[in-house]
Amino acid sequence: MAITWFAAVKEVSGLFKDIGGLVTKSNATKKLLLSEVELNLKQFQNAYKTKATYDQLIEVLSNTRTTKAREDAFIFSTIKAGKIKESHIKDPRNKRYAGEDCEWLFINIADKIEELKGLKKMNGTLEGITTMNVPLQFSNLFYKLKLLVAFVKS
């Protein structure tokens, strides 16, 4: 049986050049990073609704796209340039982050997720660890995610 459409394959290379400029690597990375933030916020919401444990929540939180962007030397200011101002801050507990930038927030959030995952690995569970104030760490993480969204949207 002859593959009659196979001759059309030679025309594909021209299509790649045409669509290559539509999505830049930076733009694609930006979309993936923002998607990761949105997904993490939804995971917090789902954990609240289902009364999930901290162990369950940390299993579903992701920082892989942020880690990959850091490895690739992504410039986070392409997502949002400038510094966090008082007008971006909706929650008083986030006032200490005024003056930080988008990159700092992404890295700080990713590092905190990694730290909590490591803490779980070391202890087998996050439940019952009284010396590390795990609930406060998750709360701070949640509010940093909210601040990041407010900053990027402004």
Side-chain angles (χ1 to χ4, degrees), residues 6-18:
F6 200 76
V9 170
K10 63 182 175 191
E11 300 169 8
V12 171
S13 63
L15 292 174
F16 288 124
K17 282 191 260 178
D18 293 341

Side-chain angles (χ1 to χ4, degrees), residues 77 80-84 99-102 151:
S77 62
K80 177 72 174 188
K83 305 279 185 190
I84 298 168
E100 300 293 354
D101 62 10
C102 189
F151 179 57

Side-chain angles (χ1 to χ4, degrees), residues 2-4 11-12 15 21 42 45 51 67 80 84-85 88 91 94 104 130 145 151 154:
I3 303 176
T4 56
E11 300 169 8
V12 171
L15 292 174
K42 285 180 182 177
Q45 185 179 39
K51 297 179 179 25
T67 302
K80 177 72 174 188
I84 298 168
K85 298 177 185 165
H88 301 124
D91 301 296
N94 283 339
W104 182 89
T130 57
L145 285 164
F151 179 57
S154 67

Side-chain angles (χ1 to χ4, degrees), residues 30-44:
K30 175 181 173 180
K31 287 178 182 180
L32 288 171
L33 288 167
L34 293 175
S35 173
E36 184 172 71
V37 169
E38 181 182 10
L39 181 60
N40 283 338
L41 278 171
K42 285 180 182 177
Q43 298 299 4
F44 269 96

